Amino acid sequence: MRYTWLTIIILLFGIDGWATAPLTIDEAVRLALQNNPQIHEQMAYREAATMGERSTRTDFFPRLSAAYAYQSLAEAPFVNINGNQVTTNSRDQHHWEVTLSQPLFSGFAISARHRIAQLGLSTQDLALQQTRQMIILNVKTRCFDLLMAKKNLAVAKSSTAALAAHETDVRKFYENGLGPLNDLLKAQVARADALQRQHRAEADVQQVLTALCLLLGRDLDPPIDIRETQQANTPLPARDALVDQALTDRPEIAMMAQAIQSKASEQQVAKSDYYPRIELTGKYQQDGNDLGARDNRYTNQYNASVGLQARWTFFEFGKTRAKAIRAKAEQRALEQGLAAMRDDIRLQVVQAYLDLDVAAKNIQTATTALDQAREHWRITNLLYQQQLTTSTEVLDARSFLDRAQSAFHEAHYGYGAAMARLEWAMGKGEP
């Protein structure tokens, strides 16, 4: 009974029912954001930046250290007092200490390094966002490429079949003495050329499919299929508004701004060498002639101290000044880079906006041209079958139809790809 139901299910749904269901473009994007190795790479860098920020934060807190020393002398140390030799310590000397140090002033270096680490963590967040946006663009582009490649393959197969049928018609006319051999040869060459284009289209489908599978982190078996989508041709805001949005939302702008802030903090770190380093220290120590330094018959066994330590290197032959000037120059370079980046982003938005406008206009033109090409092919094919036109006219009509079909699909999928590029140029996030 179980096998009977299994047979019924297979007959109802077919073997293809077990294959992977077609993905929408948004589903493909979400799948890529989960599996793409570039995403995981950026997440690992972000984790490293998080640990770096935590590391610099600990510099604000006290440091606890311990030290242990042992030495064995050839002779016990002594002093002469009124001609008498008095032993002052044992031959085996053990010493251990615990020190607690709290930085009080570092010339603002500690806070500047922590600020650099915070900016580094924030920059990694932006880098992750940038990578995700680039993955979204690549996935959407590959999805439209796959849909286009499959349409091209369908056009190539249809053209091969139509030209094969036309070759049959030409052969019949030739065998009945109603057509020249030259027409048959032309038809055969045209069919062979269409078959070559079909083979090329099949390879293009596999190539795009492989690239998409790599983006999604999926195997080629079972093959991925993308569901057809209707692109809504909606009016866009003014171009200047899109440019302003891009300059606000693009992560590259924020990353460059944070790099400039980081260079300002690097200058502060470099200039900190102009100031002294001041630390508050507390120490506890023990000295003795046993391993734990608990036995001492000559001096006090233990001692404790609190002290203030200041260190100041006030002359290094211009090294401090050179480091500060270097960081300042790098900051100026980044500021100029930010200005150039803003210009590039403006150009990217304008280019994507114009591409989208051209694609939207081409959809109507391509639709009209396709209807005309189909009718031209139908009429020309019927006229030839009645010997009212030439085989060359039929081949030309088929060529026009193939180009019109390709242009129609390019207009539709080109609109989707142009929209994806515009969303990326504007810094738009995930769907």
Side-chain angles (χ1 to χ4, degrees):
M1 186 66 179
R2 182 180 62 184
Y3 297 106
T4 301
W5 281 109
L6 180 61
T7 303
I8 293 174
I9 292 173
I10 293 175
L11 291 176
L12 287 175
F13 294 98
I15 298 299
D16 292 340
W18 299 98
T20 304
L23 297 172
T24 65
I25 293 179
D26 288 345
E27 289 172 344
V29 166
R30 286 191 286 270
L31 191 61
L33 294 178
Q34 293 174 1
N35 300 330
N36 192 276
Q38 294 182 21
I39 299 293
H40 296 287
E41 177 187 5
Q42 290 300 327
M43 292 175 65
Y45 281 130
R46 188 195 180 281
E47 182 181 359
T50 301
M51 295 300 105
E53 189 274 335
R54 291 183 184 178
S55 175
T56 58
R57 192 192 313 167
T58 60
D59 291 337
F60 291 102
F61 303 110
R63 297 189 303 273
L64 184 64
S65 60
Y68 181 87
Y70 164 75
Q71 62 178 348
S72 179
L73 303 177
E75 296 180 358
F78 63 89
V79 296
N80 288 316
I81 301 178
N82 298 326
N84 296 320
Q85 182 174 300
V86 179
T87 302
T88 60
N89 209 334
S90 60
R91 291 178 52 206
D92 295 322
Q93 297 179 8
H94 297 264
H95 170 87
W96 63 266
E97 63 183 42
V98 177
T99 304
L100 185 67
S101 301
Q102 172 62 55
L104 297 180
F105 182 70
S106 64
F108 312 104
I110 294 178
S111 58
R113 290 193 184 97
H114 184 234
R115 178 59 178 161
I116 292 173
Q118 287 178 321
L119 291 170
L121 176 58
S122 179
T123 299
Q124 285 303 321
D125 288 332
L126 292 169
L128 177 59
Q129 178 185 347
Q130 181 186 18
T131 301
R132 294 175 75 90
Q133 290 179 359
M134 183 57 68
I135 293 297
I136 291 172
L137 173 62
N138 291 338
V139 170
K140 288 183 177 181
T141 302
R142 288 299 183 184
C143 286
F144 288 119
D145 288 345
L146 180 60
L147 292 172
M148 184 65 207
K150 288 186 175 182
K151 291 298 184 181
N152 285 337
L153 177 58
V155 170
K157 288 181 177 180
S158 175
S159 181
T160 300
L163 292 176
H166 176 66
E167 180 186 350
T168 301
D169 293 339
V170 174
R171 185 182 298 277
K172 289 179 182 179
F173 287 136
Y174 170 71
E175 291 175 350
N176 292 321
L178 299 176
L181 175 62
N182 193 43
D183 284 352
L184 178 59
L185 295 175
K186 286 182 180 180
Q188 290 173 336
V189 171
R191 181 187 60 80
D193 185 61
L195 186 59
Q196 292 176 13
R197 292 197 302 271
Q198 178 180 331
H199 293 161
R200 181 67 262 173
E202 291 171 349
D204 290 341
V205 170
Q206 290 301 316
Q207 180 180 354
V208 176
L209 183 61
T210 301
L212 181 59
C213 287
L214 292 176
L215 279 173
L216 303 186
R218 291 278 296 271
D219 295 329
L220 290 174
D221 190 19
I224 293 175
D225 193 14
I226 300 299
R227 188 179 302 168
E228 287 281 354
T229 57
Q230 293 294 330
Q231 297 296 321
N233 192 350
T234 57
L236 292 174
R239 189 174 64 186
D240 291 342
L242 298 180
V243 171
D244 292 339
Q245 181 179 348
L247 295 177
T248 301
D249 296 342
R250 282 287 288 269
E252 294 93 324
I253 296 290
M255 290 171 65
M256 186 66 78
Q258 290 184 355
I260 293 173
Q261 296 178 37
S262 181
K263 286 300 176 183
S265 296
E266 285 186 22
Q267 294 178 56
Q268 194 170 30
V269 172
K271 293 179 180 179
S272 67
D273 290 339
Y274 289 129
Y275 304 95
R277 303 290 195 273
I278 302 175
E279 282 188 344
L280 178 66
T281 60
K283 183 165 65 174
Y284 174 84
Q285 67 182 50
Q286 284 192 193
D287 295 277
N289 58 11
D290 62 329
L291 185 61
R294 291 184 296 270
D295 183 16
N296 192 332
R297 292 171 293 175
Y298 300 97
T299 61
N300 51 326
Q301 174 192 347
Y302 60 87
N303 207 340
S305 65
V306 175
L308 194 65
Q309 179 178 335
R311 291 173 298 156
W312 189 11
T313 304
F314 53 86
F315 184 67
E316 286 189 316
F317 297 95
K319 180 179 179 180
T320 300
R321 181 173 178 272
K323 289 192 296 184
I325 293 176
R326 173 186 173 185
K328 180 65 176 177
E330 291 174 345
Q331 180 181 350
R332 291 199 307 271
L334 289 174
E335 289 170 349
Q336 295 302 314
L338 176 59
M341 178 181 290
R342 293 172 68 89
D343 290 341
D344 288 341
I345 289 176
R346 290 188 183 96
L347 181 60
Q348 290 170 4
V349 174
V350 171
Q351 183 65 55
Y353 185 90
L354 294 175
D355 289 345
L356 187 65
D357 184 57
V358 170
K361 293 177 181 177
N362 285 345
I363 289 177
Q364 183 61 41
T365 304
T367 302
T368 303
L370 179 58
D371 293 338
Q372 295 169 343
R374 283 172 175 166
E375 184 65 12
H376 177 55
W377 160 253
R378 187 187 67 83
I379 293 174
T380 305
N381 199 37
L382 289 176
L383 290 175
Y384 179 76
Q385 292 173 355
Q386 298 173 15
Q387 285 289 284
L388 296 177
T389 190
T390 64
S391 175
T392 301
E393 291 292 328
V394 175
L395 298 180
D396 289 342
R398 188 66 214 187
S399 179
F400 292 150
L401 177 57
D402 291 345
R403 291 200 299 270
Q405 286 177 325
S406 297
F408 174 79
H409 297 308
E410 286 177 359
H412 279 273
Y413 298 133
Y415 181 86
M419 177 62 76
R421 288 192 297 272
L422 180 60
E423 291 174 348
W424 168 81
M426 294 166 55
K428 186 176 180 181
E430 300 172 22

